[in-house]
Protein backbone atom coordinates (compact mmCIF):
# COMPACT_ATOMS: atom_id res chain seq x y z
CA UNK A 1 0.00 0.00 0.00
CA UNK A 2 1.33 3.42 -1.03
CA UNK A 3 0.21 5.14 2.16
CA UNK A 4 1.48 2.64 4.74
CA UNK A 5 5.07 3.92 4.96
CA UNK A 6 4.21 7.65 5.15
CA UNK A 7 1.58 6.92 7.81
CA UNK A 8 4.08 4.87 9.81
CA UNK A 9 6.60 7.71 9.66
CA UNK A 10 3.99 10.23 10.81
CA UNK A 11 2.94 7.84 13.60
CA UNK A 12 6.55 7.71 14.83
CA UNK A 13 6.69 11.51 14.79
CA UNK A 14 3.45 11.75 16.76
CA UNK A 15 4.63 9.18 19.32
CA UNK A 16 7.91 11.04 19.88
CA UNK A 17 6.40 14.52 20.08
CA UNK A 18 3.46 13.52 22.30
CA UNK A 19 5.82 11.68 24.67
CA UNK A 20 8.12 14.72 24.77
CA UNK A 21 5.22 17.14 25.29
CA UNK A 22 3.91 15.06 28.19
CA UNK A 23 7.25 14.69 29.97
CA UNK A 24 9.27 17.83 29.22
CA UNK A 25 9.52 20.38 32.05
CA UNK A 26 7.59 23.57 31.15
CA UNK A 27 9.79 26.48 30.04
CA UNK A 28 9.36 30.12 31.04
CA UNK A 29 8.93 31.17 27.40
CA UNK A 30 5.93 28.86 27.09
CA UNK A 31 4.25 30.73 29.94
CA UNK A 32 5.15 34.14 28.52
CA UNK A 33 3.61 33.33 25.13
CA UNK A 34 0.57 31.46 26.47
CA UNK A 35 -0.36 34.29 28.84
CA UNK A 36 -1.72 36.80 26.25
CA UNK A 37 -3.63 33.99 24.54
CA UNK A 38 -5.21 32.98 27.86
CA UNK A 39 -6.07 36.59 28.71
CA UNK A 40 -7.65 37.12 25.30
CA UNK A 41 -9.79 34.03 25.81
CA UNK A 42 -10.86 34.76 29.40
CA UNK A 43 -10.83 38.57 29.59
CA UNK A 44 -11.05 39.66 25.96
CA UNK A 45 -7.75 41.54 26.37
CA UNK A 46 -4.58 40.70 24.43
CA UNK A 47 -2.36 41.50 27.41
CA UNK A 48 0.78 40.05 29.00
CA UNK A 49 0.18 40.14 32.74
CA UNK A 50 2.81 37.78 34.15
CA UNK A 51 5.83 40.03 33.52
CA UNK A 52 6.70 43.03 35.67
CA UNK A 53 7.14 46.04 33.39
CA UNK A 54 8.21 48.53 36.05
CA UNK A 55 11.36 50.44 35.02
CA UNK A 56 11.54 48.54 31.71
CA UNK A 57 11.00 49.63 28.07
CA UNK A 58 7.86 47.47 27.97
CA UNK A 59 5.45 49.84 29.70
CA UNK A 60 1.85 49.05 28.83
CA UNK A 61 2.47 45.37 28.11
CA UNK A 62 -0.09 44.53 30.78
CA UNK A 63 -2.71 46.12 28.48
CA UNK A 64 -1.42 45.35 24.98
CA UNK A 65 0.95 42.61 23.88
CA UNK A 66 3.26 44.28 21.39
CA UNK A 67 6.60 42.76 22.40
CA UNK A 68 6.15 39.56 20.32
CA UNK A 69 4.69 38.82 16.90
CA UNK A 70 0.92 38.30 17.31
CA UNK A 71 -0.11 35.33 15.17
CA UNK A 72 0.84 32.44 17.47
CA UNK A 73 -0.87 33.80 20.62
CA UNK A 74 -3.95 34.67 18.58
CA UNK A 75 -4.04 31.14 17.17
CA UNK A 76 -3.45 29.72 20.66
CA UNK A 77 -6.44 31.62 21.98
CA UNK A 78 -8.71 29.94 19.41
CA UNK A 79 -7.02 26.59 20.17
CA UNK A 80 -7.74 27.02 23.90
CA UNK A 81 -11.38 27.76 23.18
CA UNK A 82 -11.69 24.40 21.39
CA UNK A 83 -9.35 22.18 23.44
CA UNK A 84 -9.07 23.94 26.79
CA UNK A 85 -6.09 25.52 28.54
CA UNK A 86 -3.18 23.33 29.68
CA UNK A 87 0.53 22.81 29.07
CA UNK A 88 -0.19 19.88 26.76
CA UNK A 89 -2.86 21.83 24.89
CA UNK A 90 -0.34 24.62 24.30
CA UNK A 91 2.22 22.14 23.03
CA UNK A 92 -0.24 20.14 20.94
CA UNK A 93 -0.71 23.13 18.62
CA UNK A 94 3.02 22.99 17.89
CA UNK A 95 2.75 19.24 17.23
CA UNK A 96 0.12 19.96 14.56
CA UNK A 97 2.38 22.58 12.97
CA UNK A 98 5.17 19.99 12.97
CA UNK A 99 2.92 17.80 10.82
CA UNK A 100 2.52 20.72 8.42
CA UNK A 101 6.33 21.01 8.22
CA UNK A 102 6.73 17.30 7.47
CA UNK A 103 4.11 17.31 4.71
CA UNK A 104 5.65 20.49 3.27
CA UNK A 105 9.11 18.95 3.09
CA UNK A 106 7.70 15.83 1.44
CA UNK A 107 6.15 18.04 -1.25
CA UNK A 108 9.30 20.18 -1.61
CA UNK A 109 11.64 17.22 -2.14
CA UNK A 110 9.27 15.35 -4.45
CA UNK A 111 8.67 18.50 -6.50
CA UNK A 112 12.37 19.29 -6.84
CA UNK A 113 13.71 15.80 -7.51
CA UNK A 114 10.64 13.91 -8.83
CA UNK A 115 11.46 10.99 -6.54
CA UNK A 116 8.94 9.86 -3.96
CA UNK A 117 11.49 7.51 -2.38
CA UNK A 118 13.86 10.40 -1.67
CA UNK A 119 11.00 12.46 -0.23
CA UNK A 120 10.16 9.57 2.11
CA UNK A 121 13.78 9.36 3.28
CA UNK A 122 13.77 13.09 4.10
CA UNK A 123 10.41 12.68 5.85
CA UNK A 124 11.72 9.76 7.93
CA UNK A 125 14.92 11.57 8.95
CA UNK A 126 13.12 14.77 9.87
CA UNK A 127 10.38 12.98 11.83
CA UNK A 128 12.87 11.60 14.35
CA UNK A 129 15.39 14.47 14.41
CA UNK A 130 16.02 15.53 18.02
CA UNK A 131 15.90 19.31 17.48
CA UNK A 132 12.81 19.05 15.29
CA UNK A 133 11.00 16.90 17.89
CA UNK A 134 11.91 19.24 20.78
CA UNK A 135 10.75 22.31 18.84
CA UNK A 136 7.53 20.59 17.75
CA UNK A 137 6.76 19.60 21.35
CA UNK A 138 7.33 23.11 22.74
CA UNK A 139 4.79 25.85 23.38
CA UNK A 140 7.03 28.39 21.64
CA UNK A 141 6.20 29.78 18.21
CA UNK A 142 9.32 28.60 16.38
CA UNK A 143 7.82 25.52 14.73
CA UNK A 144 4.72 27.44 13.61
CA UNK A 145 6.84 30.12 11.93
CA UNK A 146 9.10 27.54 10.29
CA UNK A 147 6.16 25.42 9.12
CA UNK A 148 4.45 28.39 7.50
CA UNK A 149 7.70 29.19 5.69
CA UNK A 150 8.11 25.60 4.51
CA UNK A 151 4.45 25.54 3.43
CA UNK A 152 5.17 28.67 1.39
CA UNK A 153 7.94 26.83 -0.49
CA UNK A 154 5.76 23.74 -0.95
CA UNK A 155 2.72 25.60 -2.29
CA UNK A 156 4.86 27.60 -4.70
CA UNK A 157 6.40 24.43 -6.15
CA UNK A 158 3.03 22.71 -6.22
CA UNK A 159 1.09 25.51 -7.92
CA UNK A 160 3.63 27.25 -10.18
CA UNK A 161 3.00 25.06 -13.26
CA UNK A 162 -0.79 25.30 -12.93
CA UNK A 163 -1.03 29.01 -12.15
CA UNK A 164 1.97 31.21 -11.40
CA UNK A 165 -0.28 33.98 -10.09
CA UNK A 166 -1.91 31.66 -7.55
CA UNK A 167 1.49 30.20 -6.65
CA UNK A 168 2.82 33.67 -5.85
CA UNK A 169 -0.31 34.76 -3.95
CA UNK A 170 -0.63 31.68 -1.74
CA UNK A 171 3.08 31.15 -1.09
CA UNK A 172 3.76 34.80 -0.21
CA UNK A 173 0.69 34.93 2.02
CA UNK A 174 2.12 31.98 3.98
CA UNK A 175 5.51 33.71 4.18
CA UNK A 176 3.85 36.84 5.57
CA UNK A 177 2.10 34.68 8.18
CA UNK A 178 5.49 33.16 9.04
CA UNK A 179 6.87 36.64 9.67
CA UNK A 180 3.82 37.54 11.77
CA UNK A 181 4.63 34.53 13.94
CA UNK A 182 8.35 35.15 14.50
CA UNK A 183 10.87 37.67 13.08
CA UNK A 184 12.87 34.73 11.70
CA UNK A 185 10.10 34.45 9.11
CA UNK A 186 12.34 36.86 7.20
CA UNK A 187 14.53 33.89 6.24
CA UNK A 188 11.88 31.98 4.25
CA UNK A 189 10.99 35.31 2.61
CA UNK A 190 14.45 35.44 1.05
CA UNK A 191 14.27 31.71 0.36
CA UNK A 192 11.06 32.11 -1.61
CA UNK A 193 12.55 34.97 -3.62
CA UNK A 194 15.49 32.73 -4.60
CA UNK A 195 13.12 29.85 -5.45
CA UNK A 196 10.92 32.09 -7.58
CA UNK A 197 13.81 33.64 -9.49
CA UNK A 198 15.49 30.29 -10.07
CA UNK A 199 12.42 28.65 -11.61
CA UNK A 200 10.33 31.51 -13.02
CA UNK A 201 12.42 34.65 -13.47
CA UNK A 202 11.52 34.80 -17.19
CA UNK A 203 7.79 34.40 -16.57
CA UNK A 204 7.81 36.89 -13.71
Amino acid sequence: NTYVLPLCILAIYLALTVATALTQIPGTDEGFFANPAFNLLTKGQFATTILDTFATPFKGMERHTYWIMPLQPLTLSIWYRVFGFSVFSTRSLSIVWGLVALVSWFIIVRSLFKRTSLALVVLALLSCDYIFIVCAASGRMDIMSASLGFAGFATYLLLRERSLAWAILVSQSLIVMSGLTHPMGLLPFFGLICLSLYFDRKSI
Side-chain angles (χ1 to χ4, degrees):
N1 194 316
T2 310
Y3 300 103
V4 171
L5 185 56
L7 289 175
C8 288
I9 293 171
L10 294 178
I12 291 170
Y13 160 80
L14 287 173
L16 291 172
T17 48
V18 169
T20 304
L22 289 171
T23 57
Q24 189 168 244
I25 297 172
T28 53
D29 279 1
E30 293 178 293
F32 296 158
F33 305 143
N35 180 236
F38 179 78
N39 286 332
L40 184 61
L41 175 66
T42 58
K43 302 174 184 177
Q45 191 174 17
F46 196 51
T48 303
T49 54
I50 60 172
L51 292 173
D52 185 6
T53 59
F54 180 74
T56 73
F58 300 110
K59 186 179 179 180
M61 191 166 60
E62 69 280 0
R63 297 188 303 274
H64 306 286
T65 296
Y66 56 85
W67 64 289
I68 54 174
M69 304 306 281
L71 193 56
Q72 192 246 10
L74 289 172
T75 308
L76 261 182
S77 183
I78 299 169
W79 190 261
Y80 290 154
R81 183 175 292 277
V82 177
F83 297 103
F85 176 75
S86 68
V87 174
F88 181 74
S89 176
T90 303
R91 292 171 170 177
S92 64
L93 178 62
S94 295
I95 293 174
V96 172
W97 281 112
L99 286 172
V100 173
L102 290 174
V103 173
S104 297
W105 271 108
F106 180 83
I107 294 170
I108 291 167
V109 176
R110 192 174 62 175
S111 299
L112 290 174
F113 300 100
K114 312 300 181 186
R115 290 175 58 191
T116 301
S117 58
L118 182 59
L120 287 171
V121 170
V122 171
L123 189 68
L125 291 173
L126 194 56
S127 68
C128 58
D129 177 79
Y130 173 75
I131 299 299
F132 185 80
I133 294 298
V134 169
C135 287
S138 164
R140 283 180 53 88
M141 70 285 287
D142 307 84
I143 194 70
M144 178 177 174
S145 178
S147 298
L148 286 165
F150 299 150
F153 299 160
T155 52
Y156 185 83
L157 292 169
L158 204 60
L159 296 175
R160 53 177 287 273
E161 293 182 356
R162 303 175 195 177
S163 170
L164 186 58
W166 276 107
I168 292 171
L169 176 64
V170 176
S171 63
Q172 293 195 14
S173 297
L174 289 165
I175 296 298
V176 170
M177 291 170 68
S178 175
L180 287 172
T181 305
H182 194 285
M184 291 300 285
L186 191 64
L187 294 179
F189 168 71
F190 289 117
L192 183 61
I193 289 176
C194 293
L195 201 63
S196 303
L197 292 176
Y198 181 80
F199 283 105
D200 299 302
R201 59 186 178 276
K202 292 181 181 178
S203 300
I204 293 172

